Amino acid sequence: MKWLFYLVVLANAAFLSWNSFVQDKAVIPKQSVYAPPVSESIRLLSEPPSQNEVVEKSQTEKMEAALNQAITGTVVNSNVSSGFCPQIEVEKSVEDAQITKVLKELGWKYSDKNTVGKRPKFWLYIDAPETKKRASEIVKDLTAKSIDSFIITREEMKNRISLGLYSSKDRAQQARERIEKASGYSVNVYAHMRTVPLYQIDIKQSINEDDWDAFLAQFDLTKMMIKLEKKPC
């Protein structure tokens, strides 16, 4: 009976130990928690930023600065005037007077000064004949056909017959064809740069395209020796 009692006690102790072990192994239910997306990392406020975060922040700041600059530049450019300050050059005093008269009527601010500059010129001439007598006969023949001319006396061009100086290549070509047709003589064109007196008119206020076109429409530009240039104000 004594040994039976000890066996029962040992069996109870073993059962209690096994039961306690099984309860410790029970699965603890998993509670749902909020977490950011996998692509984002979590950093405590006390931790220093990583190198990648510093680079990403720097790139973001640069992009924002570039965007702000682009927006600012667009605003500034939109406020820039589309006008210009023209410069006009003519060779004849009568043309200078015509232009300044219109400028005064319009009330535009301008300056007018005399200067010199090189301009392309196109000289028409007939080759020198063998003798001065023959050159004189050609000039008489041309005069009879209402063509102005004269004999060159300079040594390197002696006895050449000059037919005039033109500022436009097109006008020189037209005159050449007309004279050849009327006279029957062959006419040459000599293109060169020549220093000439000029009248330079600078408009001292911003002008837009419409006003500029309306201004030029008051002149016959095909008959004027004129140079036009649009300059920034």
Side-chain angles (χ1 to χ4, degrees), residues 155-168:
E155 189 63 31
E156 69 274 15
M157 299 183 184
K158 190 173 182 180
N159 292 336
R160 284 187 183 179
I161 300 168
S162 176
L163 300 170
L165 194 64
Y166 294 82
S167 298
S168 165

Side-chain angles (χ1 to χ4, degrees), residues 17-82:
S17 298
W18 177 82
N19 186 50
S20 177
F21 177 79
V22 171
Q23 288 181 352
D24 289 340
K25 289 292 184 178
V27 178
I28 299 175
K30 188 175 182 180
Q31 297 182 4
S32 61
V33 295
Y34 172 79
V38 176
S39 60
E40 295 183 8
S41 61
I42 299 175
R43 177 176 57 84
L44 299 179
L45 295 177
S46 60
E47 295 178 356
S50 66
Q51 185 64 29
N52 290 337
E53 288 178 298
V54 172
V55 172
E56 290 175 1
K57 182 178 179 181
S58 176
Q59 291 176 344
T60 302
E61 290 175 348
K62 289 181 180 179
M63 291 176 64
E64 291 179 352
L67 179 60
N68 292 333
Q69 184 177 2
I71 294 174
T72 303
T74 301
V75 173
V76 171
N77 290 337
S78 64
N79 293 328
V80 175
S81 172
S82 59

Side-chain angles (χ1 to χ4, degrees), residues 28-142:
I28 299 175
K30 188 175 182 180
Q31 297 182 4
S32 61
V33 295
Y34 172 79
V38 176
S39 60
E40 295 183 8
S41 61
I42 299 175
R43 177 176 57 84
L44 299 179
L45 295 177
S46 60
E47 295 178 356
S50 66
Q51 185 64 29
N52 290 337
E53 288 178 298
V54 172
V55 172
E56 290 175 1
K57 182 178 179 181
S58 176
Q59 291 176 344
T60 302
E61 290 175 348
K62 289 181 180 179
M63 291 176 64
E64 291 179 352
L67 179 60
N68 292 333
Q69 184 177 2
I71 294 174
T72 303
T74 301
V75 173
V76 171
N77 290 337
S78 64
N79 293 328
V80 175
S81 172
S82 59
F84 51 90
C85 291
Q87 184 182 82
I88 306 169
E89 286 183 355
V90 293
E91 297 182 32
K92 296 181 178 179
S93 60
V94 62
E95 295 170 348
D96 176 69
Q98 291 174 2
I99 293 171
T100 54
K101 178 177 181 295
V102 174
L103 289 174
K104 290 176 182 178
E105 292 173 350
L106 292 172
W108 290 3
K109 297 178 182 179
Y110 71 94
S111 65
D112 187 13
K113 65 179 180 181
N114 293 346
T115 183
V116 294
K118 289 187 176 294
R119 285 289 187 85
K121 297 295 178 182
F122 303 89
W123 177 42
L124 269 60
Y125 67 95
I126 296 174
D127 285 331
E130 294 180 358
T131 63
K132 184 177 180 179
K133 179 179 179 182
R134 177 56 184 155
S136 298
E137 291 175 350
I138 294 175
V139 168
K140 290 181 180 180
D141 187 23
L142 294 172

Side-chain angles (χ1 to χ4, degrees), residues 178-218:
R178 175 178 55 82
I179 294 172
E180 286 184 337
K181 183 177 180 180
S183 68
Y185 296 105
S186 178
V187 177
N188 302 300
V189 178
Y190 176 67
H192 64 290
M193 298 297 293
R194 185 171 181 177
T195 300
V196 296
L198 299 171
Y199 297 88
Q200 190 176 83
I201 305 167
D202 288 297
I203 297 179
K204 300 294 187 178
Q205 66 182 64
S206 181
I207 306 299
N208 60 46
E209 288 287 353
D210 291 338
D211 290 342
W212 179 240
D213 291 341
F215 170 75
L216 294 180
Q218 302 183 56

